[in-house]
Amino acid sequence: MGNLGNTQWIVAVFFALLAGLTDWRSRRIPNWLTVPGFMAGVAIYGVGGSWNGVLASLAGAGSMLGILLPVVLLRGLGAGDWKLMGALGAILGRNRILEVLLASVFMAGALAIVQMVRRRQVKQTLVNLWELVRGFFIFGLRPNTEINLDNPAASSVPFGVATAVATMFCYGFGMMTH
């Protein structure tokens, strides 16, 4: 891992940890965190690779914002989580952020399973999952009126926390393999 790659990971871990802590405490990831993260990513790539670097940074951000937009529109992911992944995409670039996204999804799933078991909501969660799948096949890609982030009674996992853990994991794994 070169100096630029190491710098990108350190900055990404910093922003991811700060976002995870903020999300854990307030269940929000504010713009005062995601916007500087995005700008830091563009700056790092700009210094390291000039215009091609800036384009690579924008490609990383754009890939995350594009991939996750349908999930946000369906109210399965908050806008702060979406912007965090865009900022991390700007910092890490398209290839590395896809690894972080995959690890974040797995981590969020693991946290959801732990939460489901701890709260003894296994049956209700499986019923909700069935309703989401059934609704998709009947109505297409539309938000469920009850099973979404807008329902305060619905269980949710702080995706920023999952992303922080996943970012640290990906950085550590990358350090071990290089």
Side-chain angles (χ1 to χ4, degrees), residues 146-166:
E146 293 179 26
I147 308 167
N148 64 55
L149 292 176
D150 297 326
N151 182 351
S155 293
S156 65
V157 172
F159 192 72
V161 173
T163 300
V165 173

Side-chain angles (χ1 to χ4, degrees), residues 22-51:
T22 304
D23 199 15
W24 179 266
R25 288 183 173 171
S26 67
R27 302 295 277 209
R28 302 187 75 73
I29 301 174
N31 289 339
W32 62 258
L33 177 60
T34 57
V35 172
F38 172 80
M39 292 187 314
V42 173
I44 290 168
Y45 266 98
V47 169
S50 70
W51 284 110

Side-chain angles (χ1 to χ4, degrees), residues 19 23 27-35 61 64-66 68-88 148-150 157-160 163:
D23 199 15
R27 302 295 277 209
R28 302 187 75 73
I29 301 174
N31 289 339
W32 62 258
L33 177 60
T34 57
V35 172
M64 283 302 94
L65 296 175
L68 294 174
L69 181 60
V71 182
V72 174
L73 294 175
L74 290 170
R75 301 300 300 138
L77 187 68
D81 301 318
W82 180 61
K83 290 181 275 187
L84 170 64
M85 292 305 293
L88 290 175
N148 64 55
L149 292 176
D150 297 326
V157 172
F159 192 72
T163 300

Side-chain angles (χ1 to χ4, degrees), residues 53-131:
V54 169
L55 292 176
S57 177
L58 295 175
S63 65
M64 283 302 94
L65 296 175
I67 288 169
L68 294 174
L69 181 60
V71 182
V72 174
L73 294 175
L74 290 170
R75 301 300 300 138
L77 187 68
D81 301 318
W82 180 61
K83 290 181 275 187
L84 170 64
M85 292 305 293
L88 290 175
I91 296 167
L92 293 172
R94 189 173 41 214
N95 293 335
R96 290 188 192 121
I97 193 60
L98 289 173
E99 296 168 7
V100 171
L101 174 62
L102 185 61
S104 297
V105 168
F106 279 115
M107 181 55 61
L111 290 172
I113 290 169
V114 168
Q115 178 176 297
M116 173 183 66
V117 170
R118 195 185 86 222
R119 292 182 179 176
R120 294 183 169 90
Q121 295 177 329
V122 175
K123 181 179 178 185
Q124 184 59 50
T125 302
L126 293 174
V127 167
N128 289 348
L129 183 59
W130 169 253
E131 285 300 312

